[in-house]
Amino acid sequence: MFCVAERPTSPLLWLAVPFLFSAAVLGLMGSAGLLTAAWTTVPLSPVVTGAGVAVAAATSGSVRWKRTWQRTWFRWAYLAAVLAVGVLVGAVEIPALVTTVVGVPVLLGLVFQCLVQNDENRRTADCR
């Protein structure tokens, strides 16, 4: 049986989730392009932005919203705006080295945070 000690997310951290996810994915794409010498630029893909918005939508239920209207109106308007901006900048190409330098540390930070959170949950949960 899996037990999870639910800890609410701060709204500021949640606002960064789509951008952190997108940066991590673009960092992986950039490093793959550099390692294989297949490409030198990485396009800002609307698909990656959409996946980042989906992750933010999935995690929005655990956010500590200060008002009830924020849960409905602010979160969906924010996610729609981020998705619209992602579609608008979808053709912009960024050098693979830049995406690697920015994205790989973000990815490592996210993995570290997941491992620390998982360890804290394991210690605080009364699971067998």
Side-chain angles (χ1 to χ4, degrees), residues 86-128:
V87 169
L88 288 175
V89 299
V92 174
E93 303 243 344
I94 298 177
L97 183 61
V98 172
T99 60
T100 302
V101 167
V102 171
V104 171
V106 169
L107 177 66
L108 293 175
L110 290 174
V111 168
F112 177 75
Q113 183 64 30
C114 286
L115 292 174
V116 167
Q117 184 69 30
N118 191 22
D119 189 44
E120 287 177 4
N121 287 347
R122 193 172 296 136
R123 275 191 263 133
T124 59
D126 187 24
C127 298
R128 296 199 189 258

Side-chain angles (χ1 to χ4, degrees), residues 67-88:
R67 307 276 187 257
T68 55
W69 66 268
Q70 291 174 337
R71 179 177 304 278
T72 304
W73 296 102
F74 178 70
R75 80 171 165 175
W76 296 117
Y78 175 73
L79 293 175
V82 170
L83 185 61
V85 169
V87 169
L88 288 175

